[in-house]
Amino acid sequence: MPDTLQTPPGHVRLGSNSGQPMTRRDGIAKVTGTATYAADNRPDRLAHAVFASAGIARGRVVSLNVEAAKSHPGVIEVITPDNRPALHLDPDGKSHPFSWRIEALQDNTVRYAGQPIALVVAETLEAATEGARLLAPEYDTDPARIGFENGEAYDPPAVGIGGNPSFSKGDFDTGFSDSKHRIGASVDTPAQYHNAMEPHAIVAEWSGDHLTIDTPNQAIHLARGAFAGYFGIPPENVTLRSPFIGGGFGSKAILVGPQILAIMAARMLDRPVKLVLRRDQMFGPVQHRGATRQKLRIGTDGNGLIKALEHEATASTSSFDDFIEGAGNASLNMYASPAIVARHSAVRVDTGTPGPMRAPGEASGSAALEIAMDKAAEAVGMDPLEFRLRNYAETDPASGKPFSAKSLRECYELAAQKFGWSDRPLAPGQMRDENGMLVGWGMGSALFPAPMFAAQARATLRRDGTALVETSGADMGQGAWTALAQIAADGVGLPVDRIEFLSGTTDQPDAGVAGGSGHTASAGGALFEAGSNAVQKLADLATADPESPLFGAGNTGVEAREGRLFRADDKSRSESYADILERAGLETIDAMGSGGRDPANAEARAMFSHGAVFAEVKIDPDLFQILVSRLIGAFAAGRIINPHLAKSQLTGGMIWGIGFALHEESIHDLRSGRPLNADLAGYHVPVNADAPHVEALLVDEDDPYVNALGIKGVGEIGITGSVGAIANAVWHATGKRISSYPIHIDALLS
Ligand code: MOS
């Protein structure tokens, strides 16, 4: 097995800043209201845009009362398919795997309810809103196709972003028919909408051929390239600023939706234009998690060893673009089985196009897999944890490769112990609390891959003993800026309070995508390397200078700490960064870094974060209201840069798991195709009372292969495992297996 790990350069101690439970660097700005979100920008001569949304799900717009809108006081312009400016690229085209169809008022076709059909620009938001209302569209309406039964089925060429739609190893049919115990499980998951606190927003301003946009974005340089392409200008002519993002969850990672309309309007009118989506406008043009219909089969021998595992998933997508929730692939890397099959099919319905939503594929897939595992354990007559340990995968079941590191056993042990799992009665319906509530305990395993994206960073050491570090990272609330500054501080060998961290705009080097739970590893690796490279340059200066106490120490014979370089073999000989720079006549010294993953390791190892989640539910025996009274998870995700923020990410994911299991669901009217609950009163997410005890435990894990710093991700894994654990706890309380999420009271009444 190749072992080509790049160890960090010897002159840097990783850990003096990393590993500390620092609070968020941007916390005070946020709680005092000085953090500027995109919609907070008000450039001079700002005009306000509001788009009119289609009130039908399929058909054509046959008339718009543009005259009425235009004659409303304050309305400046109405943009429709008839007068919209041409774009340099086809807005329906796909130029790369991260490009999706955008909303640019291409033509009068309506493909889903809520689709932008015209843009009204006015002096005030109120005038634009009223102008949009006055458009009073008339339609030619075709019947809406909503739901798996009514859509058009097809075989998707890919799932997720470039994922394989089918996988097979071994002989499932033989393995299943030879099994002593055989179970099947059917699980539906609904469409879910991201609903970040901050709706999608943009302020666009042209200055000649230079475009400045303020818009929340998870992949700043990628978005810059896309916007530049649509307007036929070089990427350097676009400045994109996204310093604060009020939640993204994937919906702000890929450029879709109507943001481009504001840029078109700004160019047409030669004025800055602001467009902010209303909450109801979030339910359509800016992605969602597609609904799934999943079927699993598991066969085991008499000892509970899995012989065959099959996971079929049908996912919904739009009529005009493809994003398939890769739910079936959640079964590929978790449990050992000699035969594994995963297959996907898709159905086109008249909604907006789905997209990546926090743990896309893994969240919905593991929600079904963990129910199937629980049913299989029940069939064998084994404790669910014992059953999972029996089928523990020592190597990656899909690829057969060794894991870069896997500490799932430790996660099971720690979380089970903390939860008190050993007291669990095997049969359901055995426990009641002091108030007579039905009590149930369930569990699920958690898994998420550890991808990395190409990222770059710059580090500049200054003569005043501080450092400037730069990368265009995106902090959507996950604490990236804090953790990244900690890594950068270790890279340059300074305490973190002497680090100036610039991020969140295209002025900095490309930090890649804040997605896939890979941002800390990707941007952090680049920052660390940039810092190390800058220190290396400084070491080169000092060790070659006869006047330096470090003279002759050689490039690797020094250590950086607290703004000084020390001879590795004689710590009494040292010199400050400031003195080295001063003697060299330099104000600053800087270097770039790109981090990344060793390709040989990437080829040889399977790289995942792991975890285990245990749930307790309490259910009213008459009303069947469900409370998740305890949710305890343990996770192993390589090196933890900031335990405080990592726990926050993990508990956030687990709370999302409560929402997935019990609350989140968008309902479309089958006749009109319109969302019925397009607001936060009707679209439920958990609040404090729904999550009284959520606890994330961290398992130390040294992963020497995943990247030089040993960092995996913590952003999405908390959802996986949690959903199934809750469903399994509901069974343990009531004896009822559920077949669709969210778990409704009526599913338990029957
Ligand atoms: Mo995410 S769905 O990787 O932003």
Side-chain angles (χ1 to χ4, degrees):
M1 200 51 59
D3 181 353
T4 49
L5 171 71
Q6 322 151 17
T7 44
H11 57 71
V12 178
R13 295 185 324 159
L14 185 77
S16 49
N17 296 288
S18 297
Q20 306 302 323
M22 288 179 62
T23 54
R24 287 160 207 269
R25 296 188 122 212
D26 49 356
I28 289 175
K30 284 180 174 171
V31 298
T32 56
T34 54
T36 309
Y37 291 83
D40 295 332
N41 290 287
R42 294 175 186 81
D44 287 346
R45 301 179 61 244
L46 179 67
H48 298 262
V50 168
F51 64 79
S53 305
I56 64 164
R58 186 172 162 226
R60 285 148 305 280
V61 178
V62 292
S63 80
L64 288 167
N65 197 342
V66 174
E67 281 318 304
K70 270 189 138 168
S71 56
H72 184 75
V75 170
I76 304 165
E77 184 58 275
V78 177
I79 307 176
T80 72
D82 293 337
N83 68 337
R84 63 147 177 112
L87 290 171
H88 193 255
L89 286 182
D90 177 7
D92 288 335
K94 283 197 182 287
S95 45
H96 57 81
F98 275 93
S99 77
W100 260 257
R101 181 187 184 276
I102 58 164
E103 293 297 350
L105 303 173
Q106 284 91 317
D107 55 39
N108 68 353
T109 313
V110 175
R111 297 172 175 87
Y112 60 94
Q115 177 189 315
I117 54 173
L119 189 80
V120 178
V121 191
E123 297 294 345
T124 63
L125 176 63
E126 291 77 6
T129 304
E130 181 60 7
R133 195 189 66 81
L134 289 168
L135 286 172
E138 288 174 13
Y139 307 97
D140 245 356
T141 308
D142 296 324
R145 299 161 300 188
I146 297 290
F148 285 112
E149 297 77 15
N150 304 312
E152 176 199 334
Y154 75 108
D155 287 326
V159 300
I161 296 171
N164 207 328
S166 67
F167 173 89
S168 171
K169 81 157 191 186
D171 181 348
F172 175 83
D173 289 336
T174 305
F176 191 70
S177 60
D178 289 353
S179 287
K180 170 127 194 275
H181 304 285
R182 289 186 285 269
I183 65 99
S186 297
V187 179
D188 285 3
T189 65
Q192 301 169 343
Y193 282 74
H194 300 75
N195 273 301
M197 280 228 292
E198 178 202 27
H200 291 65
I202 184 167
V203 176
E205 183 167 15
W206 288 90
S207 168
D209 247 6
H210 189 101
L211 170 65
T212 301
I213 41 189
D214 293 285
T215 191
N217 194 278
Q218 297 173 235
I220 288 167
H221 282 259
L222 201 60
R224 160 158 93 167
F227 282 127
Y230 287 119
F231 291 95
I233 55 176
E236 348 25 300
N237 284 21
V238 179
T239 301
L240 194 156
R241 297 183 295 217
S242 179
F244 297 100
I245 307 173
F249 313 125
S251 74
K252 292 166 183 164
I254 290 171
L255 188 62
V256 294
Q259 293 91 316
I260 198 149
L261 296 175
I263 307 176
M264 291 162 70
R267 181 164 243 188
M268 253 176 106
L269 303 177
D270 197 21
R271 281 179 71 163
V273 171
K274 179 191 292 193
L275 174 65
V276 182
L277 271 63
R278 286 193 314 264
R279 180 59 58 183
D280 64 286
Q281 292 177 326
M282 302 281 289
F283 287 77
V286 285
Q287 308 182 306
H288 64 282
R289 193 197 300 279
T292 72
R293 174 154 286 177
Q294 303 178 53
K295 296 205 184 316
L296 290 101
R297 289 191 291 170
I298 295 176
T300 75
D301 69 10
N303 297 318
L305 262 185
I306 296 177
K307 293 293 167 196
L309 165 61
E310 180 185 63
H311 194 157
E312 293 186 338
T314 303
S316 63
T317 187
S318 70
S319 66
F320 54 90
D321 212 337
D322 306 79
F323 185 93
I324 310 303
E325 181 83 0
N329 290 349
S331 288
L332 299 185
N333 312 104
M334 183 49 102
Y335 299 112
S337 172
I340 301 179
V341 172
R343 262 195 297 271
H344 293 87
S345 56
V347 172
R348 295 198 181 283
V349 295
D350 296 316
T351 65
T353 305
M357 178 164 165
R358 210 166 180 208
E362 289 83 5
S364 31
S366 71
L369 169 64
E370 293 302 325
I371 289 181
M373 285 296 289
D374 222 56
K375 284 181 91 165
E378 184 194 358
V380 179
M382 269 175 97
D383 171 81
L385 173 57
E386 199 192 324
F387 181 64
R388 284 165 176 84
L389 286 165
R390 174 76 44 93
N391 293 290
Y392 196 88
E394 300 293 348
T395 58
D396 175 28
S399 67
K401 293 175 185 175
F403 291 102
S404 57
K406 178 174 182 178
S407 311
L408 178 56
R409 231 186 272 282
E410 291 79 357
C411 295
Y412 285 139
E413 221 163 83
L414 180 64
Q417 203 262 338
K418 189 78 198 262
F419 185 87
W421 182 259
S422 58
D423 293 337
R424 179 183 180 273
L426 194 58
Q430 304 298 304
M431 298 194 292
R432 296 241 179 179
D433 77 355
E434 62 282 7
N435 300 316
M437 298 290 139
L438 305 171
V439 177
W441 290 357
M443 64 152 309
S445 308
L447 180 85
F448 199 79
M452 287 183 75
F453 302 97
Q456 292 175 350
R458 184 187 301 113
T460 307
L461 299 170
R462 296 161 165 157
R463 210 197 274 189
D464 66 1
T466 65
L468 171 67
V469 297
E470 302 166 90
T471 193
S472 70
D475 195 329
M476 52 197 144
Q478 80 275 42
W481 286 14
T482 310
L484 292 178
Q486 289 175 265
I487 296 170
D490 287 337
V492 294
L494 284 172
V496 70
D497 58 8
R498 281 199 254 156
I499 299 295
E500 183 185 352
F501 180 55
L502 286 184
S503 199
T505 79
T506 46
D507 293 340
Q508 295 97 35
D510 186 357
V513 185
S517 303
H519 193 40
T520 311
S522 305
L527 283 161
F528 188 84
E529 193 180 278
S532 302
N533 289 345
V535 169
Q536 185 72 51
K537 283 190 180 176
L538 208 58
D540 289 348
L541 281 178
T543 56
D545 180 353
E547 285 178 45
S548 169
L550 302 170
F551 179 65
N555 294 346
T556 53
V558 295
E559 262 179 36
R561 184 157 25 98
E562 306 279 310
R564 296 184 77 81
L565 293 181
F566 295 81
R567 262 187 92 120
D569 57 354
D570 178 1
K571 300 288 164 56
S572 71
R573 297 174 67 178
S574 73
E575 191 169 32
S576 73
Y577 295 180
D579 288 347
I580 300 168
L581 285 170
E582 184 165 355
R583 228 184 15 263
L586 295 171
E587 282 303 316
T588 62
I589 200 162
D590 63 68
M592 296 290 292
S594 56
R597 170 171 287 155
D598 184 300
N601 286 340
E603 182 54 37
R605 307 268 164 177
M607 299 175 177
F608 295 91
S609 295
H610 295 93
V613 183
F614 293 77
E616 175 184 85
V617 298
K618 295 192 170 181
I619 301 178
D620 187 299
D622 301 313
L623 303 174
F624 290 101
Q625 287 165 311
I626 306 166
L627 175 71
V628 179
S629 45
R630 288 192 298 145
L631 196 60
I632 297 176
F635 301 90
R639 183 193 298 277
I640 297 301
I641 299 303
N642 182 321
H644 183 60
L645 296 176
K647 283 185 187 177
S648 166
Q649 281 293 285
L650 293 164
T651 50
M654 292 165 74
I655 293 166
W656 189 300
I658 296 175
F660 195 125
L662 301 183
H663 306 120
E664 287 201 50
E665 164 179 43
S666 97
I667 301 163
H668 279 67
D669 181 77
L670 290 178
R671 292 154 303 178
S672 70
R674 279 150 58 157
L676 291 170
N677 55 341
D679 55 54
L680 291 179
Y683 186 90
H684 295 164
V685 294
V687 296
N688 289 16
D690 297 309
H693 183 113
V694 178
E695 194 177 347
L697 310 164
L698 297 170
V699 170
D700 285 337
E701 184 180 71
D702 180 14
D703 188 329
Y705 301 105
V706 68
N707 48 54
L709 303 183
I711 300 171
K712 296 175 179 173
V714 291
E716 293 163 275
I717 187 171
I719 307 170
T720 72
S722 297
V723 188
I726 293 166
N728 294 337
V730 168
W731 169 78
H732 192 240
T734 63
K736 297 216 164 81
R737 290 282 177 203
I738 63 102
S739 59
S740 65
Y741 293 105
I743 305 169
H744 286 168
I745 286 171
D746 57 337
L748 303 180
L749 278 172
S750 55

